[in-house]
Amino acid sequence: MKTIIIGGVAGGASAAARLRRLNENDEIIILERGNYISFANCGLPYFIGGEITDRNMLTLQTPESLRKRFNIDVRIESEAVKISPETHTVTVRNINTNEEYEEVFDKLILSPGAESIRPDIKGVELPHVFTLRNIPDTMKIKSFIDNNKPSKAVVVGGGYIGVEMAENLANAGLEVSIVELADHLIASLDADMAADVHRYIRSKRIKLFLNNAVTAISDNKVILQNGSIEADMVIMSVGIRPETSLAKECGIILNSRGSIIVNSHMQTNYPDIYAVGDAVEAKEYITGSPAFIPLAGPANKQGRIAADNIAGIPSEYNGTQGSAILKLFDMTIATTGLNEKRAAAEGIEYDKTYTYSASHASYYPNASNMSVKVLWDKKNHNLLGAQIVGFDGVDKRMDVLATAIRFGAKVTDLKELELCYAPPFGSAKDPVNMAGFVAENVINDTVKQFYWHDVEKLPRDGSVALLDVRTKTEITRGMIDGFINIPLDTLRDNLYKIPADKPVYVHCHSGLRSYIACRILRGNGYDCYNLAGGWRLYESVINDRTVPEYICTECK
């Protein structure tokens, strides 16, 4: 059996190594038009910022290491220019000599990846404008910083790579701004969870220009729809698109976005041609809908699955869940599954809860709270998605939630999980358990919720009672208009101040004490609603929406 793999990195290199492990005698060829066959593209921003100092650490495998360990014929600077499915041949061009030759294959795996999008705007080809996708891109950026000593950088696009680049450019000593077309950074987050991210990134002296777009770039400025920013260098991070022109030319079926359509075995419409990685259309795990979710983990799994099927081992890819995590200075942001926008687009009737829990036992030093949001299906209570923003322990909680989704857990199952506990590592009631407890209370009608986006719509004409149960010290930080303050610990003695014949809307700092208040009120015959996420979430979102994008309030 002879298998040719076009493209390396995550999917192609994984497929090659798996094929060799399954069959010592197969002929395996990797064609890579660049110089690097397997590199840590997720680590590229950290080399620019100085967190990774050894360039060689970015190279996971070299042609030599793959040859020695796996007996794989790796041909760098070799571009596949034509695929002929009928004759099972690939035409290959040597980048250095321009000579072409043909290779016959029994099986073919396409792993061409994706390319950075360069929007059609004036100035995008200027020498101080960069994209980041591979090691040569990284070296160009690093060389520009070292040689030109820029002082101001603009990152266009606030996704994962854009935010990571903003952090690392700031670490490299530059004054950084981010321009984002949407109203918040990191599309997999909902806007309410992104509010904490915005506040924190501004505190790190990075300016945000949200709800804005770049219209042109000059030698020293980035021109926006609203305003302009001085810039000595620009990083374009507005997204990627599948690099599938070769596949299209040979008749492989693509979707409207240009992604290769494959079945669960990673086969294209030609049974002997497989495709993996960022170039393929994935199936969203929860909904089964087609999706474009370019992540390293799924690409590696797809490479393994394609290799299994070629080797005669039935194997299927069941979908991409979209689990992802981001380091932002000391903050951690993680998501999995569906957010509200995606759930609504799928027509799913969902509910949600917010919790604010300590990373470990609060009495043990250095505990920090994390904001946790979970979504579930109202009909069957299946967990749909989760988002966490915090500083410690975020990764392990999100991994638990991602695993729960993968195994079809209901949100109420979270309360049953027996997770490791010792004061330095967690709490007896882990943040994951707490999300389950709160969701169960909502589902069982033990508590009724209202949300930050409902607050301004509440009548202030006396037809409802509005109650703030925080302490007298807490309310000095601010109060929501129309709410009266009765601290929780004095509530029973002051019930006479609250009309018994009107609905009561209650909040505290995080939603926990106001839940207790609602139980007291319900026990005394009141109709009570608890503000999900409390004052903390409400204030974060409202403050974020009233801060002009071009002002770094925490930098004053």
PDB file of all heavy atoms in Angstrom, residues 204-232:
ATOM      1  N   LYS A 204      -4.565  46.050  31.424  1.00  0.00           N
ATOM      2  CA  LYS A 204      -3.210  45.740  30.969  1.00  0.00           C
ATOM      3  C   LYS A 204      -2.732  46.727  29.894  1.00  0.00           C
ATOM      4  O   LYS A 204      -1.779  46.451  29.168  1.00  0.00           O
ATOM      5  CB  LYS A 204      -3.155  44.306  30.433  1.00  0.00           C
ATOM      6  CG  LYS A 204      -3.400  43.246  31.505  1.00  0.00           C
ATOM      7  CD  LYS A 204      -2.336  43.280  32.577  1.00  0.00           C
ATOM      8  CE  LYS A 204      -2.516  42.179  33.597  1.00  0.00           C
ATOM      9  NZ  LYS A 204      -1.450  42.223  34.633  1.00  0.00           N
ATOM     10  N   ARG A 205      -3.438  47.852  29.808  1.00  0.00           N
ATOM     11  CA  ARG A 205      -3.065  48.955  28.921  1.00  0.00           C
ATOM     12  C   ARG A 205      -3.203  48.607  27.444  1.00  0.00           C
ATOM     13  O   ARG A 205      -2.536  49.195  26.582  1.00  0.00           O
ATOM     14  CB  ARG A 205      -1.647  49.454  29.234  1.00  0.00           C
ATOM     15  CG  ARG A 205      -1.417  49.815  30.693  1.00  0.00           C
ATOM     16  CD  ARG A 205      -0.070  50.468  30.928  1.00  0.00           C
ATOM     17  NE  ARG A 205      -0.043  51.796  30.328  1.00  0.00           N
ATOM     18  CZ  ARG A 205      -0.507  52.898  30.925  1.00  0.00           C
ATOM     19  NH1 ARG A 205      -1.066  52.834  32.117  1.00  0.00           N
ATOM     20  NH2 ARG A 205      -0.426  54.069  30.331  1.00  0.00           N
ATOM     21  N   ILE A 206      -4.066  47.660  27.131  1.00  0.00           N
ATOM     22  CA  ILE A 206      -4.394  47.361  25.735  1.00  0.00           C
ATOM     23  C   ILE A 206      -5.730  48.026  25.416  1.00  0.00           C
ATOM     24  O   ILE A 206      -6.714  47.821  26.130  1.00  0.00           O
ATOM     25  CB  ILE A 206      -4.469  45.843  25.495  1.00  0.00           C
ATOM     26  CG1 ILE A 206      -3.071  45.230  25.650  1.00  0.00           C
ATOM     27  CG2 ILE A 206      -5.039  45.537  24.108  1.00  0.00           C
ATOM     28  CD1 ILE A 206      -3.043  43.723  25.558  1.00  0.00           C
ATOM     29  N   LYS A 207      -5.735  48.819  24.373  1.00  0.00           N
ATOM     30  CA  LYS A 207      -6.940  49.571  24.014  1.00  0.00           C
ATOM     31  C   LYS A 207      -7.833  48.725  23.106  1.00  0.00           C
ATOM     32  O   LYS A 207      -7.338  48.004  22.247  1.00  0.00           O
ATOM     33  CB  LYS A 207      -6.563  50.882  23.328  1.00  0.00           C
ATOM     34  CG  LYS A 207      -5.750  51.822  24.216  1.00  0.00           C
ATOM     35  CD  LYS A 207      -5.366  53.087  23.474  1.00  0.00           C
ATOM     36  CE  LYS A 207      -4.500  53.992  24.345  1.00  0.00           C
ATOM     37  NZ  LYS A 207      -4.101  55.233  23.624  1.00  0.00           N
ATOM     38  N   LEU A 208      -9.133  48.875  23.299  1.00  0.00           N
ATOM     39  CA  LEU A 208     -10.105  48.129  22.498  1.00  0.00           C
ATOM     40  C   LEU A 208     -10.909  49.083  21.631  1.00  0.00           C
ATOM     41  O   LEU A 208     -11.413  50.105  22.112  1.00  0.00           O
ATOM     42  CB  LEU A 208     -11.053  47.345  23.402  1.00  0.00           C
ATOM     43  CG  LEU A 208     -10.437  46.304  24.329  1.00  0.00           C
ATOM     44  CD1 LEU A 208     -11.542  45.565  25.079  1.00  0.00           C
ATOM     45  CD2 LEU A 208      -9.568  45.330  23.568  1.00  0.00           C
ATOM     46  N   PHE A 209     -11.045  48.723  20.383  1.00  0.00           N
ATOM     47  CA  PHE A 209     -11.895  49.451  19.447  1.00  0.00           C
ATOM     48  C   PHE A 209     -12.922  48.441  18.936  1.00  0.00           C
ATOM     49  O   PHE A 209     -12.703  47.778  17.913  1.00  0.00           O
ATOM     50  CB  PHE A 209     -11.063  50.036  18.308  1.00  0.00           C
ATOM     51  CG  PHE A 209     -10.095  51.101  18.739  1.00  0.00           C
ATOM     52  CD1 PHE A 209      -8.914  50.767  19.384  1.00  0.00           C
ATOM     53  CD2 PHE A 209     -10.368  52.437  18.511  1.00  0.00           C
ATOM     54  CE1 PHE A 209      -8.018  51.738  19.791  1.00  0.00           C
ATOM     55  CE2 PHE A 209      -9.468  53.432  18.908  1.00  0.00           C
ATOM     56  CZ  PHE A 209      -8.296  53.084  19.557  1.00  0.00           C
ATOM     57  N   LEU A 210     -14.012  48.303  19.669  1.00  0.00           N
ATOM     58  CA  LEU A 210     -15.041  47.322  19.347  1.00  0.00           C
ATOM     59  C   LEU A 210     -16.094  47.951  18.446  1.00  0.00           C
ATOM     60  O   LEU A 210     -16.201  49.169  18.329  1.00  0.00           O
ATOM     61  CB  LEU A 210     -15.690  46.790  20.631  1.00  0.00           C
ATOM     62  CG  LEU A 210     -14.710  46.210  21.668  1.00  0.00           C
ATOM     63  CD1 LEU A 210     -15.449  45.845  22.941  1.00  0.00           C
ATOM     64  CD2 LEU A 210     -13.972  45.012  21.100  1.00  0.00           C
ATOM     65  N   ASN A 211     -16.895  47.087  17.805  1.00  0.00           N
ATOM     66  CA  ASN A 211     -17.904  47.581  16.857  1.00  0.00           C
ATOM     67  C   ASN A 211     -17.266  48.511  15.827  1.00  0.00           C
ATOM     68  O   ASN A 211     -17.825  49.547  15.475  1.00  0.00           O
ATOM     69  CB  ASN A 211     -19.025  48.326  17.596  1.00  0.00           C
ATOM     70  CG  ASN A 211     -19.923  47.397  18.361  1.00  0.00           C
ATOM     71  OD1 ASN A 211     -20.472  46.450  17.795  1.00  0.00           O
ATOM     72  ND2 ASN A 211     -20.082  47.640  19.660  1.00  0.00           N
ATOM     73  N   ASN A 212     -16.093  48.135  15.381  1.00  0.00           N
ATOM     74  CA  ASN A 212     -15.350  49.007  14.477  1.00  0.00           C
ATOM     75  C   ASN A 212     -14.647  48.154  13.429  1.00  0.00           C
ATOM     76  O   ASN A 212     -14.460  46.956  13.623  1.00  0.00           O
ATOM     77  CB  ASN A 212     -14.340  49.846  15.267  1.00  0.00           C
ATOM     78  CG  ASN A 212     -14.210  51.257  14.732  1.00  0.00           C
ATOM     79  OD1 ASN A 212     -14.324  51.488  13.538  1.00  0.00           O
ATOM     80  ND2 ASN A 212     -13.968  52.216  15.630  1.00  0.00           N
ATOM     81  N   ALA A 213     -14.250  48.789  12.346  1.00  0.00           N
ATOM     82  CA  ALA A 213     -13.591  48.058  11.261  1.00  0.00           C
ATOM     83  C   ALA A 213     -12.492  48.915  10.664  1.00  0.00           C
ATOM     84  O   ALA A 213     -12.555  50.152  10.695  1.00  0.00           O
ATOM     85  CB  ALA A 213     -14.594  47.677  10.180  1.00  0.00           C
ATOM     86  N   VAL A 214     -11.485  48.249  10.124  1.00  0.00           N
ATOM     87  CA  VAL A 214     -10.386  48.937   9.441  1.00  0.00           C
ATOM     88  C   VAL A 214     -10.792  49.194   7.995  1.00  0.00           C
ATOM     89  O   VAL A 214     -11.246  48.286   7.296  1.00  0.00           O
ATOM     90  CB  VAL A 214      -9.100  48.092   9.497  1.00  0.00           C
ATOM     91  CG1 VAL A 214      -7.993  48.728   8.660  1.00  0.00           C
ATOM     92  CG2 VAL A 214      -8.643  47.916  10.934  1.00  0.00           C
ATOM     93  N   THR A 215     -10.619  50.429   7.556  1.00  0.00           N
ATOM     94  CA  THR A 215     -10.935  50.775   6.166  1.00  0.00           C
ATOM     95  C   THR A 215      -9.692  51.000   5.320  1.00  0.00           C
ATOM     96  O   THR A 215      -9.751  50.895   4.094  1.00  0.00           O
ATOM     97  CB  THR A 215     -11.814  52.039   6.118  1.00  0.00           C
ATOM     98  OG1 THR A 215     -11.101  53.128   6.748  1.00  0.00           O
ATOM     99  CG2 THR A 215     -13.134  51.813   6.861  1.00  0.00           C
ATOM    100  N   ALA A 216      -8.571  51.299   5.977  1.00  0.00           N
ATOM    101  CA  ALA A 216      -7.320  51.513   5.224  1.00  0.00           C
ATOM    102  C   ALA A 216      -6.150  51.507   6.203  1.00  0.00           C
ATOM    103  O   ALA A 216      -6.315  51.722   7.407  1.00  0.00           O
ATOM    104  CB  ALA A 216      -7.361  52.826   4.455  1.00  0.00           C
ATOM    105  N   ILE A 217      -4.954  51.251   5.656  1.00  0.00           N
ATOM    106  CA  ILE A 217      -3.731  51.268   6.453  1.00  0.00           C
ATOM    107  C   ILE A 217      -2.713  52.136   5.721  1.00  0.00           C
ATOM    108  O   ILE A 217      -2.503  51.984   4.510  1.00  0.00           O
ATOM    109  CB  ILE A 217      -3.161  49.849   6.639  1.00  0.00           C
ATOM    110  CG1 ILE A 217      -4.186  48.952   7.333  1.00  0.00           C
ATOM    111  CG2 ILE A 217      -1.868  49.888   7.450  1.00  0.00           C
ATOM    112  CD1 ILE A 217      -3.796  47.478   7.351  1.00  0.00           C
ATOM    113  N   SER A 218      -2.093  53.045   6.474  1.00  0.00           N
ATOM    114  CA  SER A 218      -1.031  53.865   5.889  1.00  0.00           C
ATOM    115  C   SER A 218       0.294  53.514   6.560  1.00  0.00           C
ATOM    116  O   SER A 218       0.363  52.567   7.350  1.00  0.00           O
ATOM    117  CB  SER A 218      -1.348  55.353   6.072  1.00  0.00           C
ATOM    118  OG  SER A 218      -1.236  55.711   7.443  1.00  0.00           O
ATOM    119  N   ASP A 219       1.339  54.291   6.279  1.00  0.00           N
ATOM    120  CA  ASP A 219       2.656  53.985   6.836  1.00  0.00           C
ATOM    121  C   ASP A 219       2.688  54.061   8.354  1.00  0.00           C
ATOM    122  O   ASP A 219       3.467  53.357   8.994  1.00  0.00           O
ATOM    123  CB  ASP A 219       3.703  54.947   6.265  1.00  0.00           C
ATOM    124  CG  ASP A 219       3.980  54.677   4.798  1.00  0.00           C
ATOM    125  OD1 ASP A 219       3.720  53.535   4.355  1.00  0.00           O
ATOM    126  OD2 ASP A 219       4.447  55.596   4.096  1.00  0.00           O
ATOM    127  N   ASN A 220       1.856  54.903   8.920  1.00  0.00           N
ATOM    128  CA  ASN A 220       1.901  55.076  10.382  1.00  0.00           C
ATOM    129  C   ASN A 220       0.535  55.142  11.053  1.00  0.00           C
ATOM    130  O   ASN A 220       0.439  55.508  12.215  1.00  0.00           O
ATOM    131  CB  ASN A 220       2.693  56.340  10.740  1.00  0.00           C
ATOM    132  CG  ASN A 220       2.106  57.587  10.082  1.00  0.00           C
ATOM    133  OD1 ASN A 220       1.044  57.540   9.470  1.00  0.00           O
ATOM    134  ND2 ASN A 220       2.819  58.696  10.199  1.00  0.00           N
ATOM    135  N   LYS A 221      -0.518  54.790  10.307  1.00  0.00           N
ATOM    136  CA  LYS A 221      -1.855  54.842  10.884  1.00  0.00           C
ATOM    137  C   LYS A 221      -2.725  53.701  10.372  1.00  0.00           C
ATOM    138  O   LYS A 221      -2.521  53.187   9.266  1.00  0.00           O
ATOM    139  CB  LYS A 221      -2.547  56.177  10.551  1.00  0.00           C
ATOM    140  CG  LYS A 221      -2.169  57.326  11.460  1.00  0.00           C
ATOM    141  CD  LYS A 221      -3.058  58.527  11.194  1.00  0.00           C
ATOM    142  CE  LYS A 221      -2.702  59.676  12.134  1.00  0.00           C
ATOM    143  NZ  LYS A 221      -3.571  60.850  11.912  1.00  0.00           N
ATOM    144  N   VAL A 222      -3.696  53.342  11.206  1.00  0.00           N
ATOM    145  CA  VAL A 222      -4.771  52.444  10.793  1.00  0.00           C
ATOM    146  C   VAL A 222      -6.053  53.268  10.807  1.00  0.00           C
ATOM    147  O   VAL A 222      -6.432  53.817  11.846  1.00  0.00           O
ATOM    148  CB  VAL A 222      -4.892  51.236  11.743  1.00  0.00           C
ATOM    149  CG1 VAL A 222      -6.119  50.403  11.400  1.00  0.00           C
ATOM    150  CG2 VAL A 222      -3.641  50.378  11.666  1.00  0.00           C
ATOM    151  N   ILE A 223      -6.689  53.364   9.660  1.00  0.00           N
ATOM    152  CA  ILE A 223      -7.897  54.169   9.525  1.00  0.00           C
ATOM    153  C   ILE A 223      -9.112  53.272   9.796  1.00  0.00           C
ATOM    154  O   ILE A 223      -9.260  52.214   9.183  1.00  0.00           O
ATOM    155  CB  ILE A 223      -8.016  54.794   8.116  1.00  0.00           C
ATOM    156  CG1 ILE A 223      -6.687  55.455   7.719  1.00  0.00           C
ATOM    157  CG2 ILE A 223      -9.163  55.793   8.086  1.00  0.00           C
ATOM    158  CD1 ILE A 223      -6.209  56.528   8.657  1.00  0.00           C
ATOM    159  N   LEU A 224      -9.978  53.717  10.686  1.00  0.00           N
ATOM    160  CA  LEU A 224     -11.153  52.947  11.079  1.00  0.00           C
ATOM    161  C   LEU A 224     -12.423  53.573  10.527  1.00  0.00           C
ATOM    162  O   LEU A 224     -12.424  54.715  10.051  1.00  0.00           O
ATOM    163  CB  LEU A 224     -11.252  52.880  12.609  1.00  0.00           C
ATOM    164  CG  LEU A 224     -10.019  52.419  13.378  1.00  0.00           C
ATOM    165  CD1 LEU A 224     -10.298  52.438  14.873  1.00  0.00           C
ATOM    166  CD2 LEU A 224      -9.579  51.040  12.929  1.00  0.00           C
ATOM    167  N   GLN A 225     -13.507  52.833  10.626  1.00  0.00           N
ATOM    168  CA  GLN A 225     -14.814  53.405  10.311  1.00  0.00           C
ATOM    169  C   GLN A 225     -15.069  54.623  11.191  1.00  0.00           C
ATOM    170  O   GLN A 225     -15.639  55.618  10.749  1.00  0.00           O
ATOM    171  CB  GLN A 225     -15.917  52.368  10.534  1.00  0.00           C
ATOM    172  CG  GLN A 225     -16.010  51.303   9.468  1.00  0.00           C
ATOM    173  CD  GLN A 225     -17.085  50.290   9.782  1.00  0.00           C
ATOM    174  OE1 GLN A 225     -17.459  50.094  10.937  1.00  0.00           O
ATOM    175  NE2 GLN A 225     -17.588  49.623   8.756  1.00  0.00           N
ATOM    176  N   ASN A 226     -14.650  54.503  12.453  1.00  0.00           N
ATOM    177  CA  ASN A 226     -14.794  55.593  13.403  1.00  0.00           C
ATOM    178  C   ASN A 226     -13.432  55.878  14.021  1.00  0.00           C
ATOM    179  O   ASN A 226     -13.005  55.196  14.943  1.00  0.00           O
ATOM    180  CB  ASN A 226     -15.791  55.228  14.509  1.00  0.00           C
ATOM    181  CG  ASN A 226     -17.163  54.918  13.950  1.00  0.00           C
ATOM    182  OD1 ASN A 226     -17.776  55.737  13.278  1.00  0.00           O
ATOM    183  ND2 ASN A 226     -17.647  53.714  14.206  1.00  0.00           N
ATOM    184  N   GLY A 227     -12.726  56.867  13.478  1.00  0.00           N
ATOM    185  CA  GLY A 227     -11.460  57.258  14.051  1.00  0.00           C
ATOM    186  C   GLY A 227     -10.261  56.639  13.360  1.00  0.00           C
ATOM    187  O   GLY A 227     -10.359  56.048  12.283  1.00  0.00           O
ATOM    188  N   SER A 228      -9.109  56.765  14.001  1.00  0.00           N
ATOM    189  CA  SER A 228      -7.855  56.202  13.482  1.00  0.00           C
ATOM    190  C   SER A 228      -6.923  55.929  14.654  1.00  0.00           C
ATOM    191  O   SER A 228      -7.104  56.457  15.757  1.00  0.00           O
ATOM    192  CB  SER A 228      -7.195  57.155  12.482  1.00  0.00           C
ATOM    193  OG  SER A 228      -6.822  58.361  13.134  1.00  0.00           O
ATOM    194  N   ILE A 229      -5.916  55.084  14.423  1.00  0.00           N
ATOM    195  CA  ILE A 229      -4.961  54.714  15.453  1.00  0.00           C
ATOM    196  C   ILE A 229      -3.556  54.810  14.862  1.00  0.00           C
ATOM    197  O   ILE A 229      -3.307  54.333  13.747  1.00  0.00           O
ATOM    198  CB  ILE A 229      -5.176  53.259  15.943  1.00  0.00           C
ATOM    199  CG1 ILE A 229      -6.650  52.938  16.118  1.00  0.00           C
ATOM    200  CG2 ILE A 229      -4.419  53.017  17.243  1.00  0.00           C
ATOM    201  CD1 ILE A 229      -6.911  51.463  16.356  1.00  0.00           C
ATOM    202  N   GLU A 230      -2.637  55.386  15.608  1.00  0.00           N
ATOM    203  CA  GLU A 230      -1.247  55.378  15.186  1.00  0.00           C
ATOM    204  C   GLU A 230      -0.691  53.963  15.305  1.00  0.00           C
ATOM    205  O   GLU A 230      -0.971  53.247  16.270  1.00  0.00           O
ATOM    206  CB  GLU A 230      -0.425  56.333  16.057  1.00  0.00           C
ATOM    207  CG  GLU A 230      -0.778  57.801  15.846  1.00  0.00           C
ATOM    208  CD  GLU A 230       0.103  58.718  16.665  1.00  0.00           C
ATOM    209  OE1 GLU A 230       0.988  58.200  17.388  1.00  0.00           O
ATOM    210  OE2 GLU A 230      -0.095  59.944  16.593  1.00  0.00           O
ATOM    211  N   ALA A 231       0.088  53.549  14.305  1.00  0.00           N
ATOM    212  CA  ALA A 231       0.602  52.180  14.304  1.00  0.00           C
ATOM    213  C   ALA A 231       1.901  52.094  13.535  1.00  0.00           C
ATOM    214  O   ALA A 231       1.992  52.570  12.399  1.00  0.00           O
ATOM    215  CB  ALA A 231      -0.423  51.225  13.701  1.00  0.00           C
ATOM    216  N   ASP A 232       2.898  51.476  14.176  1.00  0.00           N
ATOM    217  CA  ASP A 232       4.170  51.191  13.499  1.00  0.00           C
ATOM    218  C   ASP A 232       4.153  49.804  12.870  1.00  0.00           C
ATOM    219  O   ASP A 232       4.969  49.504  11.997  1.00  0.00           O
ATOM    220  CB  ASP A 232       5.327  51.252  14.491  1.00  0.00           C
ATOM    221  CG  ASP A 232       5.411  52.596  15.187  1.00  0.00           C
ATOM    222  OD1 ASP A 232       5.359  53.617  14.487  1.00  0.00           O
ATOM    223  OD2 ASP A 232       5.509  52.618  16.428  1.00  0.00           O
TER     224      ASP A 232
END
